[in-house]
Amino acid sequence: LMRPYFLGVFCFSITLLSCDQQKESNIKISVEVSAPTKITEKDISKLKFLEYSLDVKTEKEIENWTAFKELEDLVIRVKKGDLIYFKDNNEAVTKFVTELKEKIPDTLNTPSVNARITALETKIYKLESLYNLSTTSKDELSLMIKEFLESVSNLHLQMNKKLEKDSQIIETP
């Protein structure tokens, strides 16, 4: 009479223990899936691209362009692996890009600089989209970060070239 009772309790205990183990394994799997997309400062420092900085003349010209200062802050955060700005923040990203395009200083408001800003805009939206997708791999995200940083560098180069050309005095014979 006692034997079936113990057998029932034993089976019931095994069932409870196996349910608990199943929950733990699900948690481990979800953590492992999200971990590979974590980008670190070390990962970003390994990216190979040509980076142009701003000339002194260019820095002086853009000192009141607040949207560009925000872009520089964003670049610093991205280089540190901090992409939280892009997490479900479409409205702020759209506002930022609009201000960047609309508040450009007159001396830099040329087709070539505007083209670089448009290219940068595209990279910002692509980075935001990829960052918010749950299926994005670490490699895809790294490549998009590289493209974003390259587009910022190209914008720097174009602004430098524009102001350098403006400062040249060309005499015709």
Side-chain angles (χ1 to χ4, degrees):
L1 193 64
M2 288 293 249
R3 203 179 234 168
Y5 175 74
F6 283 119
L7 186 60
V9 171
F10 179 75
C11 289
F12 183 72
S13 299
I14 296 293
T15 305
L16 282 178
L17 287 174
S18 68
C19 287
D20 192 33
Q21 288 174 345
Q22 182 64 34
K23 286 180 188 175
E24 286 180 30
S25 66
N26 285 344
I27 292 170
K28 288 177 186 173
I29 289 171
S30 66
V31 169
E32 289 172 12
V33 168
S34 64
T37 58
K38 176 76 173 125
I39 301 287
T40 64
E41 187 173 358
K42 186 178 179 184
D43 295 328
I44 294 171
S45 69
K46 291 179 184 175
L47 298 176
K48 303 275 188 244
F49 66 97
L50 194 55
E51 188 170 11
Y52 295 100
S53 58
L54 293 173
D55 288 343
V56 175
K57 285 184 265 184
T58 309
E59 285 182 358
K60 184 169 175 30
E61 194 63 42
I62 64 166
E63 64 189 2
N64 295 324
W65 189 11
T66 55
F68 193 83
K69 296 297 181 203
E70 288 178 41
L71 174 64
E72 295 289 299
D73 291 341
L74 179 60
V75 167
I76 290 167
R77 289 195 309 257
V78 168
K79 284 181 177 181
K80 290 181 180 175
D82 177 9
L83 301 175
I84 200 70
Y85 177 80
F86 297 104
K87 185 68 176 168
D88 299 323
N89 199 14
N90 189 271
E91 190 175 312
V93 170
T94 302
K95 183 181 177 207
F96 163 70
V97 168
T98 302
E99 284 182 17
L100 187 67
K101 289 168 31 177
E102 290 177 354
K103 310 268 178 161
I104 186 169
D106 291 337
T107 53
L108 293 171
N109 197 354
T110 63
S112 59
V113 173
N114 285 322
R116 295 295 183 264
I117 291 175
T118 302
L120 174 62
E121 174 185 16
T122 303
K123 301 304 180 190
I124 288 172
Y125 285 129
K126 282 179 73 176
L127 180 56
E128 179 199 19
S129 296
L130 272 178
Y131 184 70
N132 286 299
L133 284 176
S134 60
T135 57
T136 303
S137 72
K138 187 173 184 175
D139 289 341
E140 289 172 318
L141 195 55
S142 292
L143 180 62
M144 196 61 245
I145 290 170
K146 178 182 174 184
E147 289 180 17
F148 164 74
L149 294 173
E150 283 176 334
S151 66
V152 171
S153 181
N154 289 337
L155 175 60
H156 288 174
L157 175 65
Q158 198 60 48
M159 292 189 311
N160 289 343
K161 286 169 104 177
K162 163 66 172 104
L163 293 176
E164 184 180 328
K165 185 175 185 224
D166 288 351
S167 68
Q168 289 177 347
I169 299 171
I170 302 172
E171 294 180 23
T172 54

